[in-house]
Amino acid sequence: MSSSKNYQRILVTSALPYANGPIHLGHLAGAYLPADIYVRYQRLKKRDVVYICGSDEHGVPITIAAEKKKVSPQAIVDEYHLRNKEAFYKFGMSFDYYGRTSSPVHHRTSQEFFLKLMEKGIFKKKTEKQLYDHQAGMFLPDRYVRGECPVCGFADAYGDQCEKCGSSLSPTDLKNPKSALTGQVPELKETMHWYIPLGDFQQRVEAWIASQDDWKSNVLGQVKSWLNQGLADRAVTRDLSWGVKVPLPNAEGKVLYVWFDAPIGYISATKEWAEQLGDPERWKTYWQDQGTKLVHFIGKDNIVFHCIMFPAMLMAHGDYVLPDNVPANEFLNLEGSKLSTSRNYAVWLDDYLTKFEVDPLRYYLATTAPETKDSDFVWMEYLQRNNSELADILGNFINRTLAFTEKRFNGLVPPRGATDQLDEEMLKTLAAAPQVIGDAIERYELRKAVTLLMDVARSANKYFNDQMPWATIKEQPEKCATTLNICLNICAHLALLMAPVLPFSAQKLWRMLGLDGDVNEQGWDDLKIDQLPPRHKLGDLYILFRKMEESEIEPEIERLRQAKAQLNNAPAAPAVEESPKISIEQFGQVQLRVAKVLAAEKVAKADKLLQLQIQIGEETRQIVAGIALHYQPEEMIGKKIIVVANLQPATVRGIESNGMLLAAQDENGHFALLGLDRDVEAGGRAR
RNA sequence: GGCGGCGUAGCUCAGCUGGUCAGAGCAGUGGAAUCAUAAUCCACGUGUCCGGGGUUCGAAUCCCUGCGCCGCUACCA
């Protein structure tokens, strides 16, 4: 197992968040919170660990956002860099350094990386024809080309995708293409780019992946899927003004492709961290010494970049260590639906922070992290977890222990006398806890770790109950003192054990116990069972985890409910009034006919398509219809349907279609075929 | 369509390389206790372990196949 390697230091990264929008819960649950818990734990273990993150500030979406707002790309990234950095900080993210890819160090680092691969002759150059806007004097990224969708005829489709029908396109597919910048008709022009031939690295990547026996199955699965398809050449540069300039003569207007420079951001941020420490060469130890355990925390959308492309880049360069693990998480849903940032169906971190406490969110996200499959954030569950676990089990144990000590022992830790079997069992459980919980964290099983933590509090409550100190105080005061001594020391241990997940509450508890310093600077294995010695004076007692009321989260649930309703309605209710009116003559040109389905079969290699043989009067013809998701071929046979009979023929997936069937769609996207409320001969005209 | 992940009690999920694996938490029912944030503790369950084949002395756990959900990818009048 590679985790048993003798590493001397750990370098942890979380995916660089893209600086064109705020952070939401999905980000946190996938790439940030798990990493932070892992890192906080490693620090308590006194391991040499550095945690790096930063803003990813290049790429086309940022330039588009800038265009829209009529500001510079720099202004966009400045805003979100600060905003996200601030929100992360408040959420307790303990980055050692939070950098940004627009920094000079990053530009220089990326350029040096590029030049190194260049010198080693890794790249291929290729010339292609791409759309060029003369007025703007630049090649247009896919998203900057608008035009008519060749698939559905939508007039304002993007060059990479049609928003209306969802088709993925290439800019040259569009009819009547226009530049989104100037409205000019772009022209095809030759342009040259550098490509990394990933295929050359296929074997090395495969061998490296094959040696990983402790990676998550979902990660390995994704990677193998890519490898099976074979790795192709991939452009590392593109024509754009925003980004890291290609550091060569005659490369005007060319920048590094954002997928290439973004992961290098981990390296440049580490450099800046080292500089800040006044030890500028120190980054090399972390990136270039084989004693480093490199761990990338990411969401599953990033697997291919961190498990194939970046490692291939690192291999190509030759001086760097490869990741020891990439514990990618799946996605977090919200109240049963996918998050949608564009439709504001999300819980934004900075918004959350203005209303609620941090630790309950960290706790709930940790228990529901999408480790093995997509999971769901549900506000009511968040509330229940907070109330029944943090408050009732953990918080209440602390409270009953401290309150009892306050009342019966004047807030002084009582001495521990002779122990009985229950005491010994409890002490044993407590002594084992750091190891057990730590092992789970080492294996990136955060949900498990949190459960184990709560189990300690559960056994503590049971222990308190079974020892009945409220009864023994009367006849066996020494026994009562022993019980409370142990309970108090359990509290001290809990403060430490909960520190990675609940750093703020852990520190509050540490103070409440009358302990000095920072709990986050203790040693995970150093806590003594007499951490709180007899006669130690406790601090001020207060409620550590407040219970929450349903009324507090009700507005959040309601907001999401409305956002979801809009989400469903938007595509389902196209505004009739927006379409221009047509005359009766125009309508007359559309020939609607009743048709009988004679035969139906699925179109091979297409999910949605049915190939239908239909009869219209005497005539038999073939049409292709996109209804396979909702109608089985068998159930179509014999049906009377309405078709547009005089539509221009088209070829779909190589099959000729002579007409179009009519169907309505409900808000869930389900089809309902138009039919007749009494039988009419096939061929009958509908009007 | 290709590839991958997942499909276990009402809910959320553990169950690694086959042999106390049929489990935990929550919710529900009954009880104990009263130090504590109306908190805690104990007892109790119906599960065709998605369906169907197969390998094996033995499979939730391995193989094949079907179905469903999710994702990547292709395609999508």
Side-chain angles (χ1 to χ4, degrees):
Chain A
M1 219 152 119
S2 52
S3 59
S4 61
K5 281 180 203 156
N6 249 343
Y7 286 117
Q8 293 146 325
R9 70 194 74 79
I10 308 172
L11 176 61
V12 177
T13 71
S14 282
L16 306 185
Y18 201 57
N20 73 336
I23 300 297
H24 59 60
L25 262 40
H27 298 127
L28 294 178
Y32 303 100
L33 179 62
D36 189 60
I37 292 172
Y38 183 78
V39 166
R40 284 175 177 275
Y41 163 76
Q42 296 295 359
R43 291 201 189 101
L44 289 164
K45 284 291 274 190
K46 301 300 173 193
R47 303 238 164 85
D48 179 359
V49 54
V50 173
Y51 183 21
I52 294 294
C53 193
S55 297
D56 177 6
E57 305 187 327
H58 295 138
V60 175
I62 282 169
T63 61
I64 289 182
E67 291 286 338
K68 255 187 204 163
K69 282 196 175 176
K70 304 275 178 216
V71 297
S72 66
Q74 190 66 46
I76 298 277
V77 301
D78 283 349
E79 178 194 341
Y80 286 109
H81 173 71
L82 285 173
R83 224 175 122 178
N84 291 342
K85 189 176 174 180
E86 169 101 358
F88 273 143
Y89 175 75
K90 287 184 184 160
F91 184 66
M93 294 301 301
S94 61
F95 305 122
D96 287 296
Y97 193 82
Y98 191 79
R100 54 191 310 189
T101 60
S102 61
S103 84
V105 171
H106 175 70
H107 280 240
R108 205 165 54 238
T109 306
S110 307
Q111 290 172 337
E112 283 167 9
F113 203 106
F114 176 87
L115 287 175
K116 173 86 175 194
L117 299 204
M118 180 99 208
E119 283 160 18
K120 293 183 85 170
I122 303 282
F123 295 134
K124 286 185 192 167
K125 284 193 208 173
K126 287 194 199 177
T127 302
E128 280 190 338
K129 284 189 172 176
Q130 286 185 1
L131 292 169
Y132 185 82
D133 182 334
H134 278 284
Q135 190 174 327
M138 61 181 283
F139 283 93
L140 297 169
D142 296 358
R143 281 245 130 189
Y144 272 33
V145 184
R146 309 292 286 266
E148 189 183 324
C149 171
V151 176
C152 72
F154 179 56
D156 202 26
Y158 287 108
D160 58 347
Q161 193 180 34
C162 171
E163 284 197 317
K164 186 115 178 240
C165 69
S167 304
S168 41
L169 305 169
S170 154
T172 47
D173 295 342
L174 295 176
K175 295 177 192 163
N176 306 319
K178 280 188 191 140
S179 163
L181 290 176
T182 61
Q184 297 295 303
V185 177
E187 178 190 323
L188 277 175
K189 192 175 158 183
E190 287 204 332
T191 180
M192 191 278 292
H193 284 290
W194 287 266
Y195 286 71
I196 182 166
L198 289 172
D200 293 356
F201 295 89
Q202 170 115 18
Q203 286 191 341
R204 289 171 68 185
V205 172
E206 271 173 358
W208 171 64
I209 290 291
S211 70
Q212 309 302 337
D213 54 5
D214 57 348
W215 284 26
K216 293 170 63 167
S217 59
N218 58 338
V219 175
L220 287 176
Q222 281 283 337
V223 172
K224 285 174 184 163
S225 170
W226 273 84
L227 290 173
N228 287 343
Q229 286 170 35
L231 301 178
D233 297 348
R234 199 169 167 113
V236 301
T237 59
R238 67 186 322 191
D239 296 299
L240 201 66
S241 59
W242 179 244
V244 177
K245 301 254 179 298
V246 173
L248 293 171
N250 308 320
E252 294 299 311
K254 293 190 192 300
V255 298
L256 301 184
Y257 218 130
V258 65
W259 73 262
F260 187 83
D261 92 75
I264 296 174
Y266 297 137
I267 301 172
S268 31
T270 312
K271 281 188 182 174
E272 291 176 9
W273 164 80
E275 276 177 17
Q276 205 177 48
L277 279 182
D279 188 1
E281 294 301 300
R282 184 139 173 222
W283 70 273
K284 286 187 181 164
T285 325
Y286 288 87
W287 277 102
Q288 303 189 335
D289 184 299
Q290 291 302 319
T292 297
K293 176 177 184 171
L294 173 61
V295 184
H296 296 304
F297 284 85
I298 56 170
K300 65 175 161 185
D301 51 332
N302 250 325
I303 289 176
V304 62
F305 293 107
H306 288 78
C307 299
I308 293 180
M309 298 185 199
F310 189 45
M313 286 164 61
L314 295 173
M315 286 173 183
H317 188 289
D319 292 344
Y320 288 92
V321 298
L322 298 175
D324 176 74
N325 209 327
V326 183
N329 278 307
E330 304 281 309
F331 285 153
L332 183 79
N333 291 324
L334 180 56
E335 301 282 350
S337 300
K338 272 180 233 180
L339 276 83
S340 166
T341 55
S342 58
R343 310 222 187 203
N344 197 25
Y345 189 75
V347 175
W348 305 101
L349 178 57
D350 41 15
D351 181 53
Y352 174 93
L353 291 169
T354 63
K355 302 171 185 165
F356 305 101
E357 296 282 324
V358 167
D359 279 351
L361 179 61
R362 289 181 63 109
Y363 180 77
Y364 177 57
L365 285 179
T367 59
T368 192
E371 281 173 5
T372 54
K373 55 182 144 183
D374 290 357
S375 63
D376 200 13
F377 182 99
V378 182
W379 275 105
M380 273 307 285
E381 272 178 26
Y382 157 86
L383 178 119
Q384 278 166 8
R385 284 295 179 94
N386 176 74
N387 288 0
S388 70
E389 295 179 15
L390 283 184
D392 290 350
I393 296 174
L394 181 56
N396 184 237
F397 171 73
I398 292 161
N399 186 247
R400 70 199 293 204
T401 298
L402 297 193
F404 196 99
T405 309
E406 199 67 47
K407 204 183 292 178
R408 302 294 188 163
F409 297 101
N410 298 315
L412 297 176
V413 177
R416 188 163 75 245
T419 53
D420 63 15
Q421 196 188 336
L422 286 182
D423 298 329
E424 290 303 328
E425 277 169 13
M426 187 66 236
L427 290 171
K428 219 159 120 189
T429 305
L430 196 59
Q435 179 77 43
V436 174
I437 295 173
D439 285 351
I441 298 178
E442 297 276 9
R443 290 194 307 269
Y444 313 105
E445 293 175 1
L446 282 333
R447 306 170 69 131
K448 180 87 166 283
V450 176
T451 305
L452 291 167
L453 165 68
M454 208 45 74
D455 283 346
V456 175
R458 284 197 173 93
S459 359
N461 271 314
K462 177 171 169 52
Y463 169 74
F464 195 110
N465 267 38
D466 291 348
Q467 291 295 35
M468 300 188 288
W470 60 90
T472 56
I473 186 76
K474 292 164 192 160
E475 279 118 41
Q476 303 168 269
E478 302 83 13
K479 182 178 171 71
C480 178
T482 300
T483 303
L484 265 296
N485 175 289
I486 291 175
C487 284
L488 286 163
N489 278 296
I490 292 171
C491 289
H493 279 69
L494 284 172
L496 180 77
L497 297 174
M498 67 199 244
V501 184
L502 307 164
F504 299 102
S505 307
Q507 180 58 20
K508 285 185 196 168
L509 175 55
W510 196 249
R511 278 281 173 283
M512 216 184 282
L513 293 168
L515 291 164
D516 294 329
D518 190 337
V519 66
N520 293 297
E521 288 167 10
Q522 306 302 310
W524 187 258
D525 303 304
D526 296 344
L527 226 48
K528 301 182 295 285
I529 188 52
D530 280 320
Q531 191 66 29
L532 298 173
R535 303 210 57 77
H536 173 85
K537 175 75 180 143
L538 301 179
D540 291 334
L541 172 62
Y542 56 94
I543 297 296
L544 194 56
F545 297 107
R546 187 179 65 82
K547 289 225 203 188
M548 297 178 71
E549 303 287 336
E550 256 182 67
S551 58
E552 296 177 63
I553 58 168
E554 187 54 44
E556 307 303 319
I557 300 173
E558 184 53 32
R559 184 184 75 73
L560 293 174
R561 199 178 290 140
Q562 282 175 13
K564 206 190 287 191
Q566 271 181 10
L567 209 94
N568 289 336
N569 288 341
V576 176
E577 61 276 13
E578 272 181 25
S579 311
K581 304 275 187 255
I582 60 167
S583 68
I584 183 100
E585 286 78 19
Q586 281 172 302
F587 174 71
Q589 293 175 4
V590 179
Q591 229 189 85
L592 299 178
R593 307 287 287 267
V594 177
K596 182 177 181 182
V597 180
L598 302 175
E601 59 180 306
K602 285 205 60 166
V603 175
K605 299 194 175 191
D607 294 346
K608 296 181 179 174
L609 299 185
L610 284 187
Q611 179 178 352
L612 305 175
Q613 308 302 327
I614 59 173
Q615 181 199 341
I616 306 176
E618 299 302 304
E619 184 193 346
T620 306
R621 58 163 91 171
Q622 169 174 293
I623 66 171
V624 176
I627 56 170
L629 292 178
H630 309 284
Y631 289 92
Q632 295 303 314
E634 313 80 66
E635 61 178 312
M636 288 303 297
I637 295 170
K639 265 207 168 76
K640 291 272 176 67
I641 57 175
I642 309 294
V643 298
V644 180
N646 60 338
L647 199 65
Q648 251 181 23
T651 305
V652 188
R653 303 283 295 156
I655 300 164
E656 196 174 316
S657 180
N658 289 300
M660 183 170 91
L661 114 189
L662 297 184
Q665 225 176 340
D666 69 13
E667 69 277 9
N668 296 321
H670 291 296
F671 285 113
L673 292 177
L674 265 59
L676 302 158
D677 69 355
R678 71 179 176 78
D679 199 35
V680 170
E681 278 302 298
R685 183 93 196 261
R687 49 177 76 224

